[in-house]
Amino acid sequence: MDRLLNNPWIMKIIALLLALMLYLSVSIDNQDTNTILGTSKSSGTGTETITNVPVEVSYDQDNMIISGVPDTVNVTLEGSKSALQQEKLKQDLEVYVDLNNYGLGEHQVELQHRNISDRLDVKIDPQVVTVSIENQQSQEFPVEASFDKNQVKKGYKAGSAQISPETVTVTGAKSQLSQVAYVKALVELDNVSKDVNEQAEVVAFDKNLNKLDVAIEPEVVNVTIPIENRSKKVPISLEQTGTLGEGIEITDLSLDKDEVTVIGEKDVLDSISSIDNIPVDVTGISKTSEVKVDVPVPEGADSVQPKQVTVSVNVKKLDEEEEEETDAEETSVAEEEKDGKKSFESLSVSLNGQNSKYKYEILSPKNGAVRVDLSGPQQQLRNVTRSDIGISANVARLTPGEFSVPISLTVPSGIEGTLSTKTLRVKVSERNPSDEEEQNPSEPPEEGGNNNPDEPSDPSDNTGSNEEDEGNGENNASNEESGSSSAN
């Protein structure tokens, strides 16, 4: 072994092998570096492209407006791999253009670069740009609010927007200012139902609503938008139309909703107090059922909500009604007391707001009487009498025709009450002069009576007259009671 190491040729061969290994190692490292940089592998030079390099512009910003200079450019570097690697590590490449020495008008200007090694070739894309230089001008413009009216809640309306300040100063080139068609404060709404008060960005647009690149002072303004309620709830009433089959009678027409919402302008809403006489066609109905009825839109209003209501039509065969009437007569004066409950049968409904020009006939319930079921503390229920219960229906707004009118119930405090039916069916008609004569008939002199004040009367005749008067008094009292029930 020592002999081999002492041989000079052996040592030369070993040195050659080591040199070859070192060369291969350096060559492999260079290939890896070229792959990372994206440079050419076939030679010692390479290229690299840097995208979106910002362009710096130098000009008189107080008096000039510049257009035509791109915001960013692409820069391609070419040179030795080592120089490319160093430039990549530095990352201080700059592209700029100096316009301070250029006058007004359009100019072809070459973009410049700095902070790049002289060993690299630089290509800028684009290299030359067309720049327009104009005097800076300012002009005041009025501001208008811009918002989506469809984003106002249904039943509400956006009023006229108030803007503060009302004008802004727009600064730009003369050619830009001449394109300004609208200056808008942009307001975002989202199903609003109350007044809006917020800061809004101001933007200038041309006639095609393209945004213009101009300076605006102030950039935001305060916008107040009043939101008006354009809806009103009003009661509704029904009018029966059509013909029922033989042996069928309607006992009740009731609504799932007593009120609807009318949408329109305020002056129109002020003139609407109710929607009356909504027709309900009962033709062909032979049993209790529900029908959908369209709610008409009052004149001048925009719409109503809901557009339809459900009417419950309760019908009865006449033979069944006679049986129920018989049962009702037997229990009309009965007051049932149970544990915490009490019922009153055949309580009359009084009609409030009657007009002397009209006659009112209660069609249903029969005889204008309903049942009231009470619940509450047993001790309180024992003391409740018929006179403590108030049952009425308001007919003040009714005109000639047939109507379903809601029945109102009042009971003593601490007691809850329910009605056997919630609506009253009433017929209103014009009162004829003959009706008034029937109410106040002229009474002729009594036949057989003593018309001579100087002639004494027979005591027996007086007795008979008194008995007759007593009988008439009882009949009159009965008639008055009957008349009171009919009026109610």
Side-chain angles (χ1 to χ4, degrees):
M1 185 68 181
D2 292 338
R3 292 174 57 189
L4 291 174
L5 294 176
N6 291 327
N7 190 326
W9 288 102
I10 295 298
M11 295 302 295
K12 291 179 180 179
I13 292 172
I14 292 173
L16 179 61
L17 291 173
L18 291 174
L20 182 60
M21 292 174 61
L22 181 60
Y23 171 78
L24 292 175
S25 175
V26 172
S27 178
I28 291 173
D29 288 343
N30 285 338
Q31 289 180 1
D32 290 342
T33 301
N34 291 339
T35 301
I36 294 173
L37 293 175
T39 55
S40 173
K41 300 182 181 68
S42 60
S43 65
T45 63
T47 60
E48 181 172 356
T49 299
I50 304 174
T51 60
N52 298 323
V53 178
V55 179
E56 298 180 10
V57 184
S58 177
Y59 67 100
D60 183 1
Q61 298 184 12
D62 294 332
N63 300 302
M64 300 296 179
I65 294 293
I66 303 299
S67 61
V69 179
D71 294 330
T72 62
V73 293
N74 297 331
V75 178
T76 301
L77 304 179
E78 184 176 359
S80 67
K81 300 169 186 177
S82 60
L84 288 173
Q85 180 67 15
Q86 292 175 2
E87 191 61 43
K88 183 176 180 180
L89 294 174
K90 285 170 50 180
Q91 295 184 349
D92 59 352
L93 168 63
E94 293 182 5
V95 176
Y96 68 96
V97 58
D98 187 354
L99 302 176
N100 287 301
N101 295 325
Y102 287 83
L104 301 177
E106 287 190 353
H107 306 274
Q108 297 291 319
V109 182
E110 183 176 357
L111 300 182
Q112 306 295 321
H113 60 82
R114 56 190 169 208
N115 299 332
I116 300 178
S117 174
D118 295 337
R119 294 182 296 166
L120 296 175
D121 292 330
V122 180
K123 293 182 179 179
I124 302 174
D125 182 25
Q127 184 71 55
V128 178
V129 295
T130 300
V131 179
S132 176
I133 303 177
E134 299 179 71
N135 283 324
Q136 178 174 281
Q137 295 184 358
S138 296
Q139 184 176 341
E140 283 195 354
F141 288 89
V143 184
E144 59 180 296
S146 176
F147 55 90
D148 186 356
K149 294 183 178 180
N150 294 325
Q151 291 302 317
V152 178
K153 191 174 182 179
K154 198 162 189 177
Y156 293 81
K157 178 184 178 181
S160 299
Q162 302 296 321
I163 302 173
S164 178
E166 296 180 350
T167 62
V168 294
T169 301
V170 179
T171 301
K174 182 179 180 181
S175 60
Q176 290 176 313
L177 295 182
S178 64
Q179 297 179 53
V180 176
Y182 312 99
V183 178
K184 296 179 177 288
L186 307 181
V187 182
E188 294 291 335
L189 302 182
D190 185 14
N191 198 33
V192 296
S193 59
K194 58 183 180 180
D195 293 351
V196 176
N197 188 357
E198 63 179 51
Q199 298 285 319
E201 179 189 5
V202 183
V203 180
F205 297 92
D206 64 13
K207 63 180 181 180
N208 297 320
L209 293 180
N210 297 312
K211 184 177 178 180
L212 298 174
D213 185 17
V214 292
I216 300 176
E217 181 62 33
E219 296 180 349
V220 295
V221 294
N222 185 70
V223 180
T224 300
I225 305 174
I227 305 298
E228 304 169 359
N229 187 352
R230 299 179 63 245
S231 63
K232 178 182 180 181
K233 288 187 176 182
V234 297
I236 59 176
S237 63
L238 304 175
E239 180 181 13
Q240 178 182 323
T241 62
T243 305
L244 288 170
E246 186 175 354
I248 300 297
E249 181 180 5
I250 292 180
T251 60
D252 183 41
L253 291 176
S254 59
L255 288 158
D256 63 334
K257 298 179 183 297
D258 294 332
E259 294 180 321
V260 296
T261 301
V262 182
I263 299 172
E265 298 296 336
K266 185 178 183 303
D267 56 344
V268 175
L269 296 180
D270 291 342
S271 66
I272 301 172
S273 58
S274 64
I275 301 178
D276 298 322
N277 304 339
I278 300 177
V280 182
D281 188 0
V282 297
T283 302
I285 293 179
S286 60
K287 61 181 180 179
T288 297
S289 56
E290 292 185 347
V291 295
K292 297 287 187 182
V293 177
D294 292 332
V295 180
V297 179
E299 184 177 357
D302 295 337
S303 62
V304 293
Q305 293 293 332
K307 296 180 179 180
Q308 282 188 335
V309 292
T310 301
V311 180
S312 297
V313 183
N314 297 320
V315 302
K316 183 184 295 184
K317 293 183 179 179
L318 293 180
D319 53 354
E320 294 177 355
E321 183 178 340
E322 291 173 359
E323 293 178 3
E324 290 183 4
E325 286 179 0
T326 302
D327 295 338
E329 289 174 0
E330 294 175 355
T331 60
S332 62
V333 293
E335 296 180 358
E336 179 184 357
E337 288 199 29
K338 296 181 180 180
D339 186 17
K341 294 183 180 179
K342 191 171 185 177
S343 299
F344 290 88
E345 297 283 351
S346 300
L347 294 179
S348 297
V349 180
S350 63
L351 302 182
N352 295 338
Q354 297 185 50
N355 191 323
S356 61
K357 298 188 301 182
Y358 301 142
K359 291 193 304 181
Y360 300 87
E361 179 185 356
I362 298 176
L363 303 179
S364 66
K366 281 292 183 179
N367 300 324
V370 296
R371 186 184 75 254
V372 176
D373 297 319
L374 303 179
S375 61
Q378 184 67 35
Q379 185 175 359
Q380 284 186 260
L381 290 176
R382 289 194 189 99
N383 300 325
V384 177
T385 64
R386 302 168 73 89
S387 61
D388 296 325
I389 302 172
I391 307 172
S392 63
N394 190 347
V395 296
R397 294 196 304 266
L398 302 187
T399 55
E402 293 186 9
F403 305 91
S404 291
V405 183
I407 300 176
S408 299
L409 171 66
T410 57
V411 295
S413 176
I415 302 296
E416 292 185 1
T418 57
L419 293 163
S420 57
T421 179
K422 295 181 179 180
T423 57
L424 185 77
R425 190 71 184 168
V426 61
K427 180 179 179 181
V428 183
S429 58
E430 296 279 355
R431 188 182 296 280
N432 297 323
S434 59
D435 297 330
E436 297 180 0
E437 292 177 2
E438 290 177 1
Q439 286 185 343
N440 301 300
S442 57
E443 300 181 359
E446 183 179 350
E447 294 182 3
N450 184 10
N451 297 326
N452 188 350
D454 298 329
E455 184 178 343
S457 300
D458 191 323
S460 62
D461 292 342
N462 289 338
T463 303
S465 177
N466 290 338
E467 291 176 354
E468 184 177 351
D469 290 341
E470 290 176 1
N472 289 337
E474 292 176 0
N475 290 336
N476 290 338
S478 174
N479 290 336
E480 288 175 3
E481 181 179 356
S482 174
S484 175
S485 174
S486 175
N488 292 335

